[in-house]
Amino acid sequence: MGDPWSWTDDMFTLHGMRPGDVVPTGAVFLRHVHPDDRTLVERVMIAAEQGPAGCEYRLIDLTGHERTVTLAVARGSDGATTGLAVDVTTSRNRAVADQVNGQLALALESRTVIDQAKGVVMSTFAVDHETAFRALAMISQHRNIRLRVIADAICGSIVAAGALEPVLRAELQRCIALGSLAREQVGVVDHDAARSSV
């Protein structure tokens, strides 16, 4: 981190400055590193004395905007340390947006399949949507697999055979019965509690 430092025009621009606005030093460089990332960047600079090192960090430019920067540092045969800082903010934001959009699309797709499976359970067993969902959730918990997988299996068996496969049908019927029994017992307990409080 010792001086002297020299920056290219692009390095000044990255920091929100015009070339020559400041005399570049290690202190100036670190002042623009996000406080939470300073220790990381300092370690990379020290590690570069032994061999090439790098990291990704948040840079705060002169206007206060935060950028995501990839830093690569290496010491040359002449003993001088050279660094390269690349602004990856746009590509990082795009990657994050793509990931969020992908997760949203998957969630919407999962919801559609789960709603279809609920519809199958409702029409097969003549139950309401809450009972159908509880039955699906119970199977999901019992088998320790995602609700989406159960929904896929239900919809798949309807498409393939036109009806629920017997094992799945029996399991759904048992879960619906257990759910009804649990609600009845809660009703009895509530009724007894209300009677004893009179």
Side-chain angles (χ1 to χ4, degrees), residues 59-143:
L59 179 150
I60 310 297
D61 70 17
L62 200 59
T63 64
H65 288 97
E66 183 177 304
R67 299 174 182 273
T68 303
V69 175
T70 298
L71 176 67
V73 188
R75 176 168 287 208
S77 57
D78 61 354
T81 302
T82 303
L84 175 67
V86 179
D87 185 354
V88 294
T89 307
T90 302
S91 59
R92 176 50 56 91
N93 288 347
R94 189 180 308 118
V96 170
D98 289 347
Q99 183 179 6
V100 169
N101 288 339
Q103 289 172 346
L104 181 59
L106 183 61
L108 291 173
E109 183 183 335
S110 295
R111 182 176 175 179
T112 300
V113 173
I114 292 168
D115 284 345
Q116 290 171 347
K118 280 194 323 189
V120 169
V121 175
M122 289 167 64
S123 63
T124 303
F125 299 100
V127 296
D128 62 25
H129 67 92
E130 288 180 14
T131 302
F133 182 78
R134 274 197 297 270
L136 295 175
M138 285 175 75
I139 294 175
S140 172
Q141 290 172 350
H142 176 71
R143 292 189 182 182

Side-chain angles (χ1 to χ4, degrees), residues 18-76:
R18 291 175 303 182
D21 274 356
V22 298
V23 174
T25 64
V28 169
F29 174 75
L30 281 177
R31 202 165 33 246
H32 288 276
V33 175
H34 190 287
D36 293 342
D37 296 341
R38 279 188 193 140
T39 301
L40 170 65
V41 172
E42 287 172 338
R43 286 181 186 155
V44 166
M45 300 300 288
I46 292 168
E49 295 174 8
Q50 306 301 320
C55 67
E56 188 174 277
Y57 73 96
R58 290 163 292 176
L59 179 150
I60 310 297
D61 70 17
L62 200 59
T63 64
H65 288 97
E66 183 177 304
R67 299 174 182 273
T68 303
V69 175
T70 298
L71 176 67
V73 188
R75 176 168 287 208

Side-chain angles (χ1 to χ4, degrees), residues 172-193:
L172 281 164
Q173 200 159 16
R174 186 168 58 252
C175 287
I176 290 169
L178 285 171
S180 297
L181 180 62
R183 283 196 307 280
E184 286 173 10
Q185 288 176 341
V186 167
V188 168
V189 169
D190 289 346
H191 181 69
D192 289 345

